[in-house]
Amino acid sequence: MPEEKYVAVVRQPAGASHHGEAAFFDVDNTLMKGASLFHVARKMHQRGAFTLPQAAGMAWKQFKFILRGENMDDVHAVRDSALTLAAGITVEDIKALGEEVFDEMIESRIWPGAKALAQQHLRVGRMVWLVTATPIEVATVISTRLGLTGALGTVGEIENGAYTGRLVGDILHGQAKAVAVQGIADAEDLDLNRCWAYSDSHNDIPLLSMVGHPVAINPDSRLRRHARDNNWPVYDFRSGRRAATLGLKAATIGGAIYGLWRGFTRFRGPTV
């Protein structure tokens, strides 16, 4: 397995017909609208963990993220704030908070089209992993609730059953995602040329480039250009947006049809 600091395994059975294949999904703006960490912070604010001005600053970063995509300065700012606020909170409290956040804030924000893609991979017997900078506790809840294989996420340091406010390693982002996925591929005997990866951000191009079937979902402008130049499929589930024409690479037909129903204006659908 890759470094344990990144991994939570739910483990759903994979069909023998697709042994060696898997799909890897980013979470924020790919599987769900906005940043999952923002909703964790929002729940913590509801519990009185920090002030209204702090909450307003995080809300502004969430708005910018939805509007224009991932900005690393904002990602690091929210991460640092969350780590500071989490210091001293017990692991059990964070797990319970993750369940509440999913039920109250995340579940309704999951893109139906992205969920349909993940479910289609599961139906044909592929593993489906989340690969995200989201805290591993939250990523694990999302993975478990959706019946996915497992999750790779950012891990906070724990001492005596409580978080210290420091990370184990670094945030799971950019090139670190590619390294973690390679670890999963090695452990699970995956052929990455037969695997899929989905993301909204140009920062995940290293991950997308290492699989045979990269797909851009709700891409930022730089990823959209890269996908167009490399003939990668593009899905855009955002309301009022025009979906880009799919490229020649394969994507799942079930998810494509569902995405069309949810508001695609144009689509050329390859098969599984």
Side-chain angles (χ1 to χ4, degrees):
M1 295 291 288
E3 292 182 77
E4 291 297 323
K5 63 187 180 184
Y6 291 135
V7 182
V9 181
V10 180
R11 187 65 67 199
Q12 301 294 324
S17 61
H18 288 279
H19 176 73
E21 298 180 9
F24 301 94
F25 282 78
D26 174 48
V27 172
D28 296 343
N29 260 5
T30 301
L31 185 64
M32 63 170 283
K33 180 179 181 180
S36 52
L37 185 57
F38 165 78
H39 298 295
V40 174
R42 179 181 168 191
K43 173 59 68 173
M44 292 176 71
H45 168 63
Q46 291 177 359
R47 294 185 173 187
F50 53 94
T51 66
L52 186 59
Q54 288 173 312
M58 291 185 183
W60 173 242
K61 291 179 176 65
Q62 166 81 339
F63 173 76
K64 290 193 295 180
F65 179 49
I66 293 172
L67 186 67
R68 73 185 187 190
E70 193 172 64
N71 176 279
M72 283 312 299
D73 289 339
D74 289 344
V75 169
H76 288 141
V78 172
R79 175 204 64 186
D80 293 343
S81 297
L83 285 170
T84 299
L85 295 168
I89 297 177
T90 68
V91 174
E92 292 305 314
D93 282 344
I94 290 292
K95 289 180 179 178
L97 184 143
E99 297 283 350
E100 291 180 24
V101 168
F102 183 87
D103 289 336
E104 298 175 19
M105 303 171 184
I106 291 178
E107 185 174 23
S108 63
R109 290 172 171 81
I110 291 176
W111 300 109
K115 181 180 178 180
L117 287 166
Q119 290 175 334
Q120 176 66 9
H121 283 297
L122 291 172
R123 279 195 295 270
V124 299
R126 297 189 185 100
M127 293 181 176
V128 178
W129 292 83
L130 300 184
V131 187
T132 175
T134 294
I136 190 62
E137 293 81 6
V138 178
T140 301
V141 169
I142 298 172
S143 179
T144 301
R145 293 297 192 88
L146 296 181
L148 309 183
T149 306
L152 300 159
T154 298
V155 177
E157 184 183 68
I158 299 168
E159 290 182 358
N160 300 319
Y163 292 91
T164 66
R166 298 184 295 271
L167 289 179
V168 176
D170 201 357
I171 188 170
L172 186 60
H173 188 268
Q175 184 62 41
K177 287 187 179 181
V179 173
V181 165
Q182 184 63 61
I184 289 288
D186 293 342
E188 301 289 348
D189 194 25
L190 300 177
D191 180 354
L192 288 174
N193 288 324
R194 294 161 51 207
C195 291
W196 278 253
Y198 300 84
S199 179
D200 70 297
S201 174
H202 69 278
N203 291 306
D204 287 341
I205 288 175
L207 168 61
L208 293 166
S209 298
M210 71 188 299
V211 299
H213 305 288
V215 182
I217 292 183
N218 308 323
D220 60 30
S221 58
R222 289 175 62 181
L223 178 57
R224 187 179 290 277
R225 287 194 300 271
H226 190 89
R228 182 186 63 235
D229 292 344
N230 289 274
N231 202 29
W232 291 355
V234 175
Y235 292 101
D236 201 323
F237 300 120
R238 293 168 290 192
S239 177
R241 293 272 191 155
R242 183 180 184 182
T245 302
L246 293 178
L248 297 178
K249 297 280 186 174
T252 61
I253 191 168
I257 292 172
Y258 198 94
L260 175 62
W261 179 72
R262 292 295 298 179
F264 275 99
T265 59
R266 188 168 50 140
F267 144 92
R268 182 174 73 236
T271 58
V272 175

